[in-house]
Amino acid sequence: MTSERTCYVYIILPGEVALVTAGRFTLTPTADGQAVGRFVYGRKYLARPDGVEIDPVELKLSDRPFETATLGGFFGAIRDAMPDSWGRRIIQKRSGHTQLEEFDYLLESAEDRAGALGFGLNVEPPTPSKEFNRTLQLEQLQAAADAIIRDGGEPEDEVARQADELLFRGSSMGGARPKAVIEDGGALWIAKFSQSEDRWNHPKVEHALLRLAGSCGLDVADSRIVTVAERNVLLVRRFDRDHRADGFRRHRMVSALTLLRADDSATDRANWSYLLLADEIRRSSGDPNADLTELYKRICFNAAVSNLDDHPRNHAIITKDRNWRLSPAYDLTPAPVSATSQRDLAMECGANGRYANRANIVAGHGRFYLDREEAERIFDDIIETVRTGWLPQMRHIGVGEADCTRISKAFLYDGLFYE
Ligand SMILES: Nc1ncnc2c1ncn2[C@@H]1O[C@H](COP(=O)(O)OP(=O)(O)OP(=O)(O)O)[C@@H](O)[C@H]1O
Ligand SMILES: [Mg+2]
């Protein structure tokens, strides 16, 4: 980055469907090749009686400027609104540049990014689009996603070019798997496609796992399967959008990565911890008791099904008004690894680090406002539901027997119960 970059930050306030200007974000290069980010809330915004904070950790409402030198100068809540690896591929392809600056990804990304923020160069915010892709377009979207994975996907003809445009809408959702955002039945859904390298039917297995988590008493995102050109696509209903006659309400959403003030690089994982996340939720949640019990259940569930990709971008808090709450669970996948004595979750889950193990997990009970007996009971109940329920649930969703065998090692591995 060689020169200073600046943009306006817009937000959709609770109950509204139009963007308003909240403040201004500036990124300034420093002599050592790094950058410093600066955010100030606008005076007009601060004077509004209905103005809300962008996030409950870093950018609380205040008239003083905020500065950060971590994450390359990007505040966590702004980073959360930026595309992740999948969305970046789409933007690179669309712009024809592979050497984009972080700031470009912020400005270039589609407006249906997670949460309630928007970014632009004009002080006046744009009108949010009411046009979304439809289920009908899923086949085109899937084909465009395939082409991008296969060969960078040069659009050969007009149809392919149009499909790329469709794919671009919704490209700013995070994550690595190919996906698009579509509207169906008045709601917005994230469509998660299969990939040729998948070792089992990912859409169906993820759907079944979400259902299984629901039957274990977890609060989960709503989902369903659609079939497009003989392939299954998972639709996960967006919990950060609510339909209204005049548009979509958008709810602010902040990832656990931001709550933990962490980065997703492999070298910055010291803060990747459910225990630290519990501490943060205790501070920011409108109902810490309920949210901490829920978070604890998610640890037990993830351990039971070896969802080892439970990194801090796969947890979030969300608010529809002024009350921040843990978001529903999403992105659950079993990892049928061969280790039988020790598997590690992506985040620290007890006194013995990341070890997915009953004694380790139960030992952390105090951090979740639970006494030991409650913590043991919750763990054991979830284990029981997973033990009796995982295979029937997979079959019910239509996961084939060969796939059930492939993923079976993920469930209730031996080390879970070592003393
Ligand atoms: N139901 C939902 N409503 C709103 N936002 C969601 C929902 N599900 C996921 N998200 C957001 O979209 C991002 C990507 O979704 P998800 O984690 O399911 O995809 P992924 O590509 O499988 O991710 P990963 O790279 O972790 O494997 C999430 O990190 C989260 O910010
Ligand atoms: Mg994810």
Side-chain angles (χ1 to χ4, degrees):
M1 188 183 154
T2 49
S3 58
E4 183 168 286
R5 311 276 308 260
T6 188
C7 71
Y8 292 93
V9 179
Y10 318 121
I11 192 167
I12 293 198
L13 295 171
E16 300 297 325
V17 297
L19 290 158
V20 298
T21 305
R24 202 175 155 137
F25 173 59
T26 306
L27 197 64
T28 311
T30 50
D32 58 359
Q34 308 294 311
V36 169
R38 203 161 196 267
F39 176 81
V40 274
Y41 281 106
R43 249 176 287 152
K44 256 168 77 184
Y45 184 77
L46 288 172
R48 297 183 70 111
D50 55 351
V52 291
E53 64 198 10
I54 286 180
D55 75 60
V57 280
E58 263 182 323
L59 302 175
K60 292 201 166 245
L61 277 182
S62 161
D63 58 4
R64 68 184 170 85
F66 297 91
E67 254 183 41
T68 184
T70 52
L71 301 178
F74 286 84
F75 294 92
I78 293 181
R79 181 259 327 262
D80 285 344
M82 290 168 70
D84 220 348
S85 48
W86 173 251
R88 283 164 191 244
R89 278 173 84 164
I90 308 277
I91 290 171
Q92 286 169 6
K93 174 154 187 290
R94 190 170 189 257
S95 68
H97 298 290
T98 47
Q99 297 290 328
L100 291 170
E101 290 186 351
E102 284 300 290
F103 209 88
D104 296 316
Y105 288 114
L106 183 66
L107 290 177
E108 291 292 321
S109 56
E111 63 161 281
D112 50 7
R113 52 171 68 80
L117 299 183
F119 306 90
L121 297 176
N122 298 321
V123 63
E124 288 307 323
T127 314
S129 158
K130 291 192 186 125
E131 281 297 299
F132 291 96
N133 293 319
R134 304 281 172 161
T135 332
L136 269 179
Q137 289 154 327
L138 273 173
E139 187 168 346
Q140 257 176 309
L141 289 166
Q142 163 106 53
D146 286 347
I148 287 186
I149 292 168
R150 205 175 45 237
D151 49 26
E154 277 318 303
E156 286 146 20
D157 53 32
E158 185 55 15
V159 176
R161 208 194 49 70
Q162 280 173 11
D164 282 351
E165 281 301 307
L166 297 180
L167 203 54
F168 174 71
R169 300 196 210 153
S171 62
S172 26
M173 296 308 291
R177 291 191 69 81
K179 59 177 76 59
V181 175
I182 61 149
E183 183 176 353
D184 189 64
L188 286 188
W189 303 75
I190 301 176
K192 295 179 80 172
F193 301 115
S194 55
Q195 281 175 274
S196 57
E197 72 236 36
D198 288 348
R199 286 185 295 141
W200 56 82
N201 185 324
H202 272 254
K204 279 195 171 169
V205 168
E206 184 170 345
H207 178 55
L209 215 56
L210 287 165
R211 288 285 168 89
L212 183 65
S215 64
C216 288
L218 273 67
D219 176 25
V220 290
D222 189 16
S223 63
R224 62 195 177 89
I225 292 287
V226 291
T227 305
V228 175
E230 292 173 10
R231 280 160 72 184
N232 297 126
V233 178
L234 172 66
L235 298 187
V236 188
R237 187 191 176 108
R238 286 187 67 170
F239 44 68
D240 63 336
R241 294 289 189 273
D242 275 329
H243 186 255
R244 269 192 9 185
D246 51 346
F248 279 93
R249 292 181 55 192
R250 297 186 192 171
H251 312 308
R252 282 168 291 156
M253 183 165 150
V254 168
S255 73
L257 207 54
T258 292
L259 283 178
L260 295 169
R261 296 164 184 80
D263 195 352
D264 45 9
S265 80
T267 50
D268 186 28
R269 299 199 167 177
N271 285 355
W272 285 27
S273 160
Y274 282 107
L275 306 179
L276 294 176
L277 182 57
D279 297 345
E280 292 302 328
I281 286 175
R282 193 174 310 129
R283 278 182 212 127
S284 54
S285 167
D287 190 347
N289 276 316
D291 283 350
L292 291 181
T293 303
E294 173 72 23
L295 185 64
Y296 177 79
K297 286 183 186 169
R298 292 193 193 168
I299 303 174
C300 301
F301 182 79
N302 290 339
V305 305
S306 302
N307 175 27
L308 309 181
D309 195 29
D310 55 334
H311 55 77
R313 267 189 202 273
N314 284 338
H315 304 278
I317 56 168
I318 185 164
T319 175
K320 301 188 175 192
D321 37 52
R322 283 164 192 268
N323 228 357
W324 292 92
R325 296 295 307 272
L326 190 62
S327 80
Y330 55 90
D331 201 5
L332 306 178
T333 17
V337 295
S338 47
T340 55
S341 58
Q342 175 156 0
R343 295 181 186 176
D344 286 339
L345 296 180
M347 314 212 302
E348 176 195 26
C349 57
N352 263 325
R354 302 190 286 133
Y355 189 14
N357 164 271
R358 183 179 187 273
N360 187 34
I361 292 169
V362 167
H365 62 88
R367 301 286 278 275
F368 300 87
Y369 286 156
L370 295 170
D371 59 36
R372 175 170 281 280
E373 290 70 41
E374 279 175 302
E376 288 175 343
R377 189 180 45 74
I378 292 172
F379 186 95
D380 295 339
D381 285 351
I382 288 179
I383 295 303
E384 205 37 44
T385 307
V386 170
R387 187 190 312 282
T388 53
W390 80 264
L391 190 54
Q393 184 64 260
M394 292 293 155
R395 289 179 173 153
H396 176 69
I397 300 300
V399 177
E401 288 305 311
D403 279 359
C404 289
T405 306
R406 267 177 213 115
I407 59 172
S408 60
K409 273 201 293 219
F411 300 92
L412 308 178
Y413 84 107
D414 293 349
L416 198 54
F417 307 102
Y418 290 175
E419 289 297 325

